[in-house]
Amino acid sequence: MSVRLQDQPWLTSAATRAVFAALETAGGPDCARFVGGSVRNALLGQAVADFDIATTLEPEAAFAAIQTAGLKAVPTGLAHGTVTAVSGHQPYEITTLRRDVTTDGRKATVAFTDDWSEDAARRDFRLNALYADLTGRIYDPTGQGIEDALAGRVIFVGDPVTRIREDYLRILRFFRFYAWYGRDAPDAAAMTACTAEVDGLARLSAERVSTELMKLLNAPDPRRAVQAMAATGVLAQLLPEAVAGIAFQRLCELTTDPVLRLAGLMPVDADGLRALARRLRLSNAVRDRLVAGAEAATAVRPDMDDRTARAAVYRLGARAVEDALIRQRAAMNSDPADDDRLTTLISGWTPPSLPVGGRDLARLGLAPGPDTGRLLKAFEAGWIADDFPVAGHEARLRALLDPTVSPPPG
């Protein structure tokens, strides 16, 4: 199938042409082609964010060519064949054509080659083994990558088990690409291979696993991919606690946030989510958000009144309250009117600062000491319960100092 990319500004930009000119000066015409995601996405009419270039030049020669042309060259991974050129503030990752010599399921020992078919044969899926030159002409060494991309098929290059055993992360990449590009049922041969090789996931680092998982959950609609993961045992291998039921299905309709979707796969259990974050080596920010949302779950409901909602936002933070509410909406299939009301309140209300402090109590005659903190906490509890009144603060403090004095009405 002869296909040419049309109307791609990045193909004709001065920055791109400068990189290709540098490489072709050293390696001759057709020594470099775009490869992978940029070609696939352009073919499908989707946004292109990253630019990977394959070249017949060996890494040191590519690095020298970029420098000689006056462009910034970064030795990203010379030993593995990769350098990065920066042109017009845009990075281009340039990798020498390779073939695998040995693999152990996590990383490969490679040899450089000038054979485009050998390079394509070591890639994961046929829709990713697509190359394009500066004219937009697409090269499809497997003969089926273009058809797969256009039809929404994610199919391994060659034998699926062989590809997976080269790098077990390809199991997760299969489901990730299916989430983003798959249309019909997942490829049967791939599903069988993923099921048979699922134990190999245990050999992967937590960081690689969590990165792929979050990319999958960031897809516009990851539900079918997650269901396929459950069917092959992959989901249970990664997240033994996961429940990809109707609540998760609804949650994916309510939010595109991958962190919240991850939370939706798990029981509402702060300790369990801490353990998950530790196991997957998630960032502290993601861990704290997961835990805060779980802890907020007992304090909020989709049908709570505005006063209760403001108190929850003040004590727990808007993000935690919103996360807990979205999960509960998914679980309870709540009234959309309540959803709209609370969403507007949470986004539009700024929690006030506590209007009194230790100096106010000292001014009323309280000597500094442990009673200061106790009384301020008591004031705060009453102030929150009365929905954050803006006046009467001194009278409330006097009532706390002298129980015989009645506090002002809330």
Side-chain angles (χ1 to χ4, degrees):
M1 180 185 292
S2 177
V3 177
R4 192 177 296 272
L5 300 177
Q6 303 293 331
D7 301 322
Q8 298 295 320
W10 51 272
L11 274 177
T12 57
S13 72
T16 294
R17 293 195 174 276
V19 173
F20 272 72
L23 296 173
E24 290 178 351
T25 297
D30 199 34
C31 75
R33 298 173 184 171
F34 282 103
V35 64
S38 60
V39 183
R40 179 198 63 233
N41 281 20
L43 175 65
L44 296 175
Q46 298 183 9
V48 174
D50 301 316
F51 299 100
D52 294 331
I53 297 171
T55 181
T56 56
L57 286 171
E58 294 207 357
E60 292 81 2
F63 187 81
I66 296 301
Q67 285 189 316
T68 299
L71 301 175
K72 181 178 180 181
V74 182
T76 316
L78 279 176
H80 303 288
T82 301
V83 301
T84 299
V86 181
S87 178
H89 305 289
Q90 172 66 53
Y92 296 79
E93 189 169 281
I94 303 164
T95 302
T96 302
L97 303 186
R98 297 179 291 180
R99 59 181 175 83
D100 290 339
V101 177
T102 61
T103 59
D104 64 3
R106 296 179 63 186
K107 57 185 178 181
T109 301
V110 300
F112 303 128
T113 179
D114 59 3
D115 187 325
W116 296 93
S117 294
E118 278 192 320
D119 186 74
R122 70 175 299 277
R123 294 184 179 271
D124 48 12
F125 311 113
R126 298 186 316 208
L127 84 172
N128 288 340
L130 296 174
Y131 305 77
D133 61 24
L134 277 184
T135 71
R137 178 187 174 187
I138 298 179
Y139 299 82
D140 184 3
T142 72
Q144 295 166 300
I146 293 174
E147 291 182 1
D148 285 353
L150 294 175
R153 295 190 298 258
V154 182
I155 299 179
F156 281 97
V157 174
D159 176 56
V161 171
T162 301
R163 293 287 84 75
I164 287 171
R165 288 179 178 174
E166 289 168 351
D167 185 352
Y168 285 104
L169 192 69
R170 286 175 172 169
I171 293 177
L172 297 186
R173 285 176 61 82
F174 170 73
F175 293 107
R176 193 245 289 188
F177 280 94
Y178 178 66
W180 280 92
Y181 302 103
R183 291 187 199 164
D184 298 322
D187 179 61
M191 291 283 283
T192 299
C194 290
T195 302
E197 300 297 322
V198 66
D199 290 346
L201 291 171
R203 303 174 63 177
L204 299 174
S205 70
E207 292 87 352
R208 296 184 79 201
V209 168
S210 60
T211 296
E212 281 298 319
L213 182 60
M214 298 308 283
K215 287 179 179 178
L216 185 158
L217 292 173
N218 198 38
D221 186 353
R223 291 176 292 182
R224 290 187 307 146
V226 171
Q227 288 174 337
M229 290 171 69
T232 56
V234 169
L235 187 62
Q237 177 79 7
L238 299 181
L239 307 173
E241 317 91 331
V243 181
I246 188 64
F248 174 75
Q249 303 289 318
R250 289 182 184 142
L251 185 69
C252 289
E253 297 174 356
L254 294 174
T255 181
T256 59
D257 188 320
V259 176
L260 194 49
R261 286 173 168 179
L262 175 61
L265 279 172
M266 304 293 289
V268 184
D269 172 26
D271 289 338
L273 288 166
R274 281 193 193 92
L276 171 73
R278 218 167 28 245
R279 191 168 75 240
L280 294 181
R281 298 194 181 174
L282 301 175
S283 69
N284 290 344
V286 170
R287 177 202 63 202
D288 293 346
R289 183 180 171 194
L290 291 170
V291 171
E295 291 177 338
T298 58
V300 302
R301 285 183 56 83
D303 59 353
M304 63 185 171
D305 60 30
D306 290 3
R307 175 182 291 213
T308 304
R310 282 189 285 269
V313 170
Y314 178 85
R315 291 188 182 280
L316 302 168
R319 171 58 69 81
V321 171
E322 187 173 20
D323 285 356
L325 281 174
I326 291 175
R327 288 201 64 179
Q328 290 186 6
R329 288 167 185 162
M332 300 167 63
N333 203 16
S334 61
D335 185 344
D338 281 330
D339 297 351
D340 294 342
R341 174 181 59 85
L342 289 174
T343 297
T344 300
L345 184 153
I346 292 168
S347 63
W349 184 69
T350 301
S353 298
L354 188 68
V356 299
R359 290 184 179 180
D360 298 287
L361 287 169
R363 182 169 51 79
L364 294 176
L366 180 68
D371 283 343
T372 297
R374 177 180 61 80
L375 290 171
L376 287 176
K377 286 185 178 180
F379 174 92
E380 183 179 42
W383 178 65
I384 294 170
D386 289 339
D387 202 18
F388 311 98
V390 298
H393 305 320
E394 183 171 321
R396 290 172 181 275
L397 288 177
R398 289 186 183 279
L400 289 169
L401 288 166
D402 184 354
T404 63
V405 176
S406 298

